[in-house]
């Protein structure tokens, strides 16, 4: 998996930064997290292909996170898409999309599969991964995301399997799927005899917009790549509290509590041209912190 930030600015775009949008790429599929205005332009700049968009996850209904959605859907339409597109978001995301297309007097030739959530729990169960959400602490309802690959079975030890009498290739598959098998001489071979230890799937977490809260910590628990909003520096801690945002130091504190392997800050107030002092304030709280750069591919 890899992550490309398409926008990192809070509230308004700047000449250097777009509005919130993150592309998570996994095995040829693209999952978008938030879709601020002009995300589709950044999407093109990043060299991404519209045909690969598998799902869009929206955190909340503030304009800087959703105003890019109608345009992006129209571009998907222009590619001739027919495959269904999943959109996950807070309550009213469906109404927002429907109202836009109704008032624009246009429709989409591909079906949208929209689900709305305001409570913690799984929202997508795929054979390779799961996605769960939890309500965060913002001015309006906002949900954070945890995208977790399922663990991979350990490596299959062919030599040991053969030595134990497993010769039929179909039995190899059953063992790899975790099933015990019976071989010709009647003995049972269990998966743990021929499989190495499970390999942990990668975990991506995205918490925006929010004050520091327990839900973010849970979503980011031991994540390989945790994204947390960091709208303000310490001098604006009061503004962060009032407007439902976090300072860089608070975001780092959440990353430390979550034991995220890597914490990447985003959603920066346009007042900060240079982000160095945000990192200087964040680092004493958690060393594994960095600031997001747009259009740079970051492998998990
Ligand atoms: Zn925002
Ligand atoms: Zn917001």
């Amino acid at each position: 998996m890899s992550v490309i930030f398409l926008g990192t600015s809070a509230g308004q775009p700047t000449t250097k930064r777009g509005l919130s949008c993150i592309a998570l790429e996994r095995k040829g599929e693209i999952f978008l997290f938030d879709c601020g205005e002009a995300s589709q332009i950044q999407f093109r700049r990043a060299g991404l292909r519209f045909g690969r968009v598998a799902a869009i996850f929206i955190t909340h209904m503030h304009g800087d996170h959703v105003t890019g959605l109608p345009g992006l859907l129209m571009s998907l339409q222009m590619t001739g898409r027919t495959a269904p597109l999943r959109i996950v978001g807070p309550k009213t995301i469906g109404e927002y999309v429907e109202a836009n297309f109704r008032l624009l007097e246009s429709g989409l030739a591909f079906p949208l599969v929209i689900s709305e959530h305001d409570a913690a729990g799984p929202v997508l169960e795929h054979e390779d991964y799961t996605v769960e959400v939890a309500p965060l602490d913002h001015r309006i309802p906002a949900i954070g995301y945890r995208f977790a690959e399922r663990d991979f079975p350990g490596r299959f030890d062919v030599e040991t399997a053969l030595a134990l009498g497993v010769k039929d290739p179909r039995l190899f598959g059953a063992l790899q799927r975790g099933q015990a098998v019976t071989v010709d001489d009647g003995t049972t071979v269990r998966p743990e005899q021929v499989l190495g230890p499970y390999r942990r799937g990668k975990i991506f977490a995205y918490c925006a917009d929010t004050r520091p809260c327990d839900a973010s910590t849970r979503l980011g628990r031991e994540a390989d790549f945790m994204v947390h909003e960091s709208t303000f520096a310490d001098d604006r801690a009061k503004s962060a509290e009032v407007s439902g945002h976090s300072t860089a130091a608070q975001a780092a504190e959440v990353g430390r509590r979550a034991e995220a392997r890597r914490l990447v800050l985003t959603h920066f107030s346009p007042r900060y041209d240079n982000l160095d002092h945000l990192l200087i304030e964040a680092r004493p709280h958690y060393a594994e912190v960095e600031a997001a750069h747009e259009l740079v591919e970051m492998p998990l």
Side-chain angles (χ1 to χ4, degrees):
M1 292 204 283
S2 66
V3 170
I4 303 179
F5 284 84
L6 301 183
T8 59
S9 189
Q12 306 164 44
T14 72
T15 53
K16 291 181 189 156
R17 295 187 209 130
L19 290 174
S20 290
C21 187
I22 301 172
L24 175 70
E25 278 193 283
R26 181 184 181 281
K27 292 192 174 174
E29 290 190 313
I30 296 171
F31 304 90
L32 290 178
F33 290 83
D34 279 334
C35 196
E37 184 188 338
S39 290
Q40 62 163 317
I41 297 174
Q42 296 286 78
F43 189 97
R44 287 180 165 89
R45 283 198 182 121
L48 300 173
R49 302 236 308 266
F50 284 108
R52 298 214 164 143
V53 177
I56 301 175
F57 302 96
I58 300 293
T59 58
H60 66 298
M61 297 307 297
H62 274 155
D64 57 328
H65 297 254
V66 290
T67 45
L69 192 53
L72 186 107
L73 294 177
M74 283 187 256
S75 285
L76 288 177
Q77 163 93 338
M78 305 262 187
T79 65
R81 183 184 182 110
T82 53
L85 177 71
R86 183 180 293 274
I87 299 177
V88 179
K91 299 278 176 195
T92 72
I93 186 68
E95 186 183 350
Y96 171 75
V97 173
E98 183 276 324
N100 265 280
F101 283 92
R102 177 165 41 83
L103 296 170
L104 294 169
E105 298 191 30
S106 64
L108 295 170
F110 57 91
L112 297 176
V113 181
I114 298 179
S115 65
E116 301 180 334
H117 306 274
D118 59 5
V123 297
L124 191 52
E125 297 271 0
H126 184 274
E127 63 179 286
D128 284 356
Y129 54 82
T130 61
V131 182
E132 66 179 279
V133 301
L136 301 179
D137 181 14
H138 194 37
R139 261 175 306 150
I140 63 169
I143 49 177
Y145 288 89
R146 178 182 176 91
F147 183 110
E149 284 184 321
R150 294 188 193 276
D151 290 340
F152 304 100
R155 288 184 205 292
F156 188 72
D157 184 344
V158 178
E159 278 181 20
T160 302
L162 291 171
L164 290 168
V166 184
K167 299 196 175 71
D168 185 340
R170 283 172 300 182
L171 297 185
F172 281 27
L175 285 161
Q176 283 171 313
R177 287 191 299 275
Q179 297 160 10
V181 301
T182 305
V183 295
D184 291 349
D185 67 2
T187 55
T188 299
V189 177
R190 296 184 312 279
E192 59 270 26
Q193 291 176 274
V194 294
L195 292 175
Y198 259 72
R199 288 168 288 168
R200 182 178 172 276
K202 300 275 188 186
I203 298 167
F204 166 83
Y206 176 43
C207 299
D209 291 354
T210 187
R211 299 179 184 94
C213 63
D214 290 342
S216 311
T217 310
R218 280 196 298 276
L219 289 169
R221 174 66 53 209
E222 294 180 0
D224 297 274
F225 197 111
M226 180 182 191
V227 180
H228 197 288
E229 75 124 289
S230 164
T231 311
F232 295 110
D234 281 345
D235 64 328
R236 295 267 159 179
K238 187 79 198 146
S239 304
E241 173 60 27
V242 171
S243 60
H245 291 295
S246 302
T247 64
Q250 288 171 332
E253 217 21 70
V254 173
R256 184 187 65 76
R257 281 201 297 271
E259 298 179 69
R261 295 180 182 183
R262 183 177 188 184
L263 173 69
V264 184
L265 305 183
T266 187
H267 198 270
F268 307 113
S269 165
R271 70 175 48 251
Y272 306 122
D273 191 38
N274 185 318
L275 302 173
D276 288 349
H277 71 289
L278 286 144
L279 286 175
I280 289 167
E281 291 175 3
R283 285 241 162 79
H285 296 269
Y286 196 45
E288 308 304 323
V289 63
E290 60 199 290
H293 294 280
E294 293 185 12
L295 308 184
V296 178
E297 186 169 355
M298 303 168 83
L300 260 72

